[in-house]
Amino acid sequence: MRRAKVFSGSSHPELANNICDRLGVPPSPVVLKKFSNQETSVEIGCSVRNENVFIIQSGSTQINDHLMELLIMISACKGSSANRITAVLPYFPYSKQSKKKKYRCAITAKVVANLLSVAGVDHIITMDLHASQMQGFFNKPVDNLYAEPCVAKWIQDAVPEYIHGVVVSKNAGGAKRVTSLADRLKIDFALIHTDRTREPRRNTPNNSTTCVTKIEVNNVEIVNDMDDEIDDVSTDHLTDSTASIISDAETNITLVGDVEGKITFIVDDMIDSSGSFIAAANHLMNKCNAKRVYVIATHGILSGDSLKEIEGCRSIYKLVVTNTFPIPPDKRHQISKLVIIDISATLAEAIRRTHNGESISYLFDTAI
Amino acid sequence: MATNSIKIFAGNSHIDLAKLVAKRIGIDLSRVMVLKYSNQETSVTIGESVRDEDVFIIQSGCGEINDNIMELLIMINACRTASARRITAVIPCFPYARQDKKDKSRAPISAKLVANMITVAGANHVITMDLHASQIQGFFNVPVDNLYCEPSMLNYIKINIPEWKNSIIVSPDAGGAKRATSIADRLNLDFALIHKERKKANEVSRMVLVGDVNGKIAILVDDMADTCGTLKMAAETLKENGAVKVYAIVAHGILSGNAIDVINDSCLEKLVVTNTIPHDDKKLICTKIDTIDISSTLAEAIRRTHNGESVSFLFSNAPE
């Protein structure tokens, strides 16, 4: 690629290297470090004057540091007379906070979009946004790529009996994503719904006290819960706080559709805490007699002990994620059920096409 | 004298609703003349002082939609230049709300464009109802209050569908599943889902019902009904699967094209819409349409906004 530079942030160097391999260019030199007072420092190691710059930075566990790093890198390139700066965010940070959930929440995804624009970005490439409406948060073009073609290809290659399978959404909000995959694979779909109103404790002061205790017990968890879908919250809350004493019948999980004797794929855009996935898988295996359960998600955030919990859950046969979000090797080795699909080819092709001014719609339907 | 009192202006799109809202609040609509020059340009004359007042402009996205948007923008701007203290655009049905994402290559995000236009015209606050996607709130740089018809719908179901305890809530497409489950939860009912399949080889589009409706009253729930083709097909699918009666409850009844004929031909028992969009003329030729009045929710939201009170109460309760 002539007149193009690809930089990698420190969030996910492995993915950036894969992308650069595909593109046939080495990652451009950049020194990323922190001063002793924890300020991020960026030194661009080569001229970017009049070049098309691509900066690859995913969300990660140190999300704010890496976001700041990305903003500084963009700003540094802007100040160095780059022709056009494209931020490649395989996982868009804060994408779950994309709407006001009833009471006085900030739309943080919009704030991140504003920050990127102000830093000087000209174009965004991302993947499987939590809500595709987020493209409207930017005044700059956004290309939202899909992992679905790669996921569908994996299913077709790795699960020979998939044609008798069922794709399952673990909440109503994900129904559209699931039907799209089901249509592509030409198989049936089903929906799991967790009734939170029928839970006796809901809307009573009791419920809020439970939540408060949770904040004290586990700070990380509550962050998960807050930006999680409301549906997830109650499931997580049930599985976490009331442990496994509660059987499925009491958790008010309902399956709409038929999975008896079939292979099921629970599909979502991201998997963070595992509670709701495990509850769904248990329900499918124990109550609905599914044959096997695959959990498939594009972004494998898997914070806390989720990996261990999934490894320990007998109902889940495999956990399939893409490599948009970095999973450290030591964590990866904890779990034998984990399958990682490499989507660097899709991102590389999007970068190549963007640089050459070619259409990228081809990538929406085709696995590279 | 700065009174900072409420001034409510109504555009031409839905004066009946504006009157109902003003009546609820207990004031008259402020005087405004909105007309068109012979060359079709919109002309707005604000008929009374708005200096240092709290202005609310009620305009829905319906009918001559582009004219109505232009009217709203000019009215906002007229109040802005006339030194209004604060201008709130009350848009019961947000125009272009369905064009909220790049669902196809090169599709414009027109909802974002409308949001930008409203902000640039000078609105300080937006009140709207049942946005097609709540992420549209993020398109604005000013606060947006997205109210819900759901509490009013629940009341309607409990009062007007006597057999509601034996009913099932159905979403006519996968995207609306969340809305349907929310209502099903509040009523303690089951729910089902209809999906239009497209990509099966050698097959025309068919509807797949996921869930069991046999022997039950099916209540279809969606956020808008436009040409009603989907609702009709969904109702037929439900009947084929053994539903006794099929009701449809929809927030925004756009009912464009030959929607009325479609409804009259369909096996729907009732089509219930809210009055975010005027449809009185359509009710005369279609007896199946029923209306939920949501003016009280809007009026209460305006009153609370003016007094600086919280509006969260309205998210789960319908004011009397």
Side-chain angles (χ1 to χ4, degrees):
Chain A
M1 294 206 303
R2 291 181 60 233
R3 305 220 66 78
K5 290 275 191 289
V6 181
F7 290 99
S8 163
S10 52
S11 62
H12 200 348
E14 193 187 324
L15 177 66
N17 287 335
N18 283 349
I19 292 174
C20 286
D21 280 353
R22 292 262 177 189
L23 291 171
V25 295
S28 301
V30 58
V31 182
L32 304 165
K33 57 180 184 213
K34 274 192 170 178
F35 291 129
S36 56
N37 65 353
Q38 297 296 309
E39 279 181 14
T40 303
S41 144
V42 170
E43 286 167 39
I44 306 286
C46 60
S47 167
V48 294
R49 188 171 299 269
N50 261 342
E51 308 247 359
N52 283 344
V53 172
F54 295 88
I55 304 171
I56 302 167
Q57 181 82 302
S58 198
S60 69
T61 40
Q62 293 129 31
I63 198 157
N64 293 334
D65 280 345
H66 288 143
L67 179 60
M68 197 64 203
E69 189 179 277
L70 173 65
L71 296 172
I72 297 176
M73 285 171 87
I74 293 170
S75 184
C77 293
K78 193 81 188 168
S80 317
S81 311
N83 179 37
R84 190 177 62 175
I85 301 165
T86 306
V88 183
L89 299 148
Y91 167 73
F92 194 92
Y94 287 98
S95 58
K96 271 212 163 177
Q97 300 185 41
S98 62
K99 60 184 173 197
K100 275 211 242 178
K101 292 262 171 58
K102 299 211 166 177
Y103 307 112
R104 295 173 281 277
C105 327
I107 306 177
T108 316
K110 162 92 174 176
V111 177
V112 175
N114 285 348
L115 288 174
L116 289 168
S117 305
V118 168
V121 82
D122 298 296
H123 192 132
I124 311 278
I125 295 176
T126 181
M127 199 167 224
D128 273 346
L129 283 174
H130 189 57
S132 39
Q133 282 83 3
M134 278 174 56
Q135 292 178 74
F137 291 180
F138 288 91
N139 288 318
K140 299 286 192 311
V142 180
D143 287 317
N144 182 24
L145 303 169
Y146 301 110
E148 190 186 291
C150 294
V151 169
K153 189 162 172 288
W154 181 87
I155 292 178
Q156 283 163 339
D157 293 347
V159 190
E161 330 83 310
Y162 81 92
I163 204 76
H164 305 295
V166 182
V167 193
V168 182
S169 173
K170 73 169 178 52
N171 57 33
K176 204 150 190 172
R177 187 173 296 115
V178 163
T179 51
S180 159
L181 182 64
D183 282 353
R184 183 185 291 269
L185 294 170
K186 293 168 191 140
I187 59 180
D188 285 336
F189 79 97
L191 188 68
I192 282 179
H193 176 53
T194 312
D195 286 330
R196 45 205 155 78
T197 29
R198 271 160 259 193
E199 207 179 297
R201 272 169 307 168
R202 196 184 177 258
N203 285 342
T204 58
N206 233 347
N207 195 16
S208 53
T209 10
T210 336
C211 286
V212 174
T213 1
K214 247 181 111 197
I215 300 173
E216 290 160 4
V217 172
N218 191 338
N219 215 358
V220 185
E221 260 307 305
I222 199 71
V223 175
N224 280 338
D225 282 2
M226 275 172 61
D227 56 19
D228 224 328
E229 298 295 333
I230 305 170
D231 291 355
D232 303 355
V233 176
S234 62
T235 340
D236 284 355
H237 152 79
L238 273 170
T239 42
D240 290 355
S241 57
T242 21
S244 49
I245 321 153
I246 287 190
S247 76
D248 281 341
E250 284 161 278
T251 54
N252 277 319
I253 296 179
T254 19
L255 176 80
V256 183
D258 178 27
V259 298
E260 174 116 31
K262 290 180 178 171
I263 294 175
T264 56
F265 306 95
I266 301 179
V267 176
D268 210 343
D269 64 331
M270 57 177 89
I271 172 166
D272 190 350
S273 51
S274 54
S276 54
F277 286 92
I278 290 176
N282 281 336
H283 184 72
L284 289 176
M285 291 298 285
N286 303 339
K287 301 281 164 191
C288 310
N289 302 321
K291 193 172 162 198
R292 234 186 284 156
V293 175
Y294 291 83
V295 171
I296 304 180
T298 307
H299 307 296
I301 298 158
L302 300 165
S303 56
D305 286 331
S306 340
L307 271 175
K308 270 189 203 146
E309 285 161 29
I310 286 173
E311 182 73 20
C313 170
R314 271 180 296 139
S315 303
I316 297 177
Y317 179 71
K318 285 271 187 232
L319 168 68
V320 184
V321 297
T322 72
N323 58 349
T324 52
F325 195 90
I327 303 174
D330 55 319
K331 246 182 149 181
R332 235 180 284 169
H333 296 314
Q334 285 175 7
I335 168 164
S336 55
K337 292 176 179 172
L338 183 67
V339 178
I340 298 179
I341 303 174
D342 181 20
I343 43 77
S344 60
T346 305
L347 288 168
E349 186 62 15
I351 291 176
R352 197 188 64 72
R353 284 172 183 250
T354 307
H355 177 64
N356 295 336
E358 295 166 22
S359 164
I360 64 159
S361 354
Y362 174 74
L363 300 176
F364 296 155
D365 295 320
T366 323
I368 303 290
Chain B
M1 260 266 292
T3 50
N4 189 24
S5 56
I6 303 185
K7 297 267 179 194
I8 298 181
F9 291 96
N12 278 326
S13 62
H14 201 348
I15 292 180
D16 291 340
L17 178 65
K19 280 183 181 154
L20 284 173
V21 170
K23 200 174 152 204
R24 282 255 168 197
I25 296 178
I27 57 173
D28 289 331
L29 286 178
S30 300
R31 285 193 301 277
V32 59
M33 206 161 55
V34 185
L35 34 85
K36 273 189 173 175
Y37 291 134
S38 55
N39 67 354
Q40 298 296 308
E41 279 180 14
T42 304
S43 146
V44 169
T45 320
I46 305 286
E48 54 192 81
S49 168
V50 293
R51 188 173 297 269
D52 238 355
E53 306 280 19
D54 199 6
V55 174
F56 293 85
I57 302 172
I58 302 179
Q59 179 82 310
S60 202
C62 55
E64 295 289 322
I65 201 153
N66 293 332
D67 283 347
N68 289 338
I69 291 174
M70 206 60 206
E71 241 177 64
L72 172 67
L73 296 174
I74 297 177
M75 284 169 81
I76 292 173
N77 202 249
C79 293
R80 168 63 53 230
T81 51
S83 309
R85 179 180 290 191
R86 183 174 66 171
I87 301 165
T88 305
V90 182
I91 311 171
C93 177
F94 193 84
Y96 287 93
R98 272 175 293 183
Q99 299 185 37
D100 58 356
K101 54 176 179 273
K102 282 212 282 193
D103 47 359
K104 289 188 228 62
S105 310
R106 295 170 290 279
I109 306 179
S110 312
K112 163 84 175 178
L113 177 65
V114 174
N116 283 346
M117 281 158 41
I118 290 170
T119 318
V120 168
N124 304 99
H125 194 130
V126 175
I127 294 177
T128 181
M129 221 166 188
D130 268 325
L131 281 173
H132 188 57
S134 34
Q135 278 83 4
I136 294 177
Q137 289 179 87
F139 292 2
F140 286 89
N141 285 319
V142 296
V144 179
D145 286 319
N146 183 25
L147 304 169
Y148 300 99
C149 301
E150 191 184 291
S152 312
M153 286 180 175
L154 296 176
N155 283 352
Y156 178 92
I157 293 174
K158 284 181 188 161
I159 294 166
N160 294 297
I161 303 181
E163 326 85 325
W164 68 269
K165 283 200 167 120
N166 180 34
S167 56
I168 179 165
I169 308 290
V170 185
S171 170
D173 67 65
K178 201 152 187 174
R179 184 174 293 109
T181 51
S182 165
I183 291 189
D185 282 355
R186 295 279 297 269
L187 291 171
N188 212 357
L189 296 173
D190 282 338
F191 89 104
L193 180 72
I194 287 176
H195 174 53
K196 257 188 295 188
E197 273 185 9
R198 279 171 293 259
K199 287 180 186 164
K200 276 213 170 171
N202 310 322
E203 239 177 76
V204 283
S205 85
R206 67 186 184 105
M207 286 199 148
V208 187
L209 174 75
V210 183
D212 181 20
V213 298
N214 199 4
K216 289 191 174 163
I217 314 278
I219 303 177
L220 283 160
V221 174
D222 208 350
D223 68 329
M224 48 178 80
D226 196 346
T227 52
C228 295
T230 313
L231 281 183
K232 182 180 179 220
M233 279 175 70
E236 281 161 8
T237 313
L238 289 171
K239 282 266 178 177
E240 279 163 23
N241 283 283
V244 185
K245 277 183 191 173
V246 183
Y247 291 86
I249 300 191
V250 174
H252 305 297
I254 301 168
L255 307 177
S256 63
N258 56 354
I260 298 301
D261 297 338
V262 175
I263 297 166
N264 279 330
D265 287 350
S266 72
C267 49
L268 281 174
E269 190 75 19
K270 280 257 184 258
L271 172 67
V272 185
V273 296
T274 71
N275 57 350
T276 53
I277 289 175
H279 53 264
D280 284 345
D281 51 334
K282 289 167 188 144
K283 267 172 104 168
L284 296 177
I285 47 174
C286 179
T287 48
K288 289 185 176 178
I289 299 181
D290 222 342
T291 313
I292 300 174
D293 181 18
I294 46 78
S295 63
S296 55
T297 306
L298 283 176
E300 187 61 14
I302 290 177
R303 197 189 63 71
R304 284 171 183 251
T305 306
H306 175 69
N307 295 337
E309 294 167 21
S310 164
V311 298
S312 352
F313 173 77
L314 299 174
F315 296 152
S316 40
N317 300 77
E320 288 301 308

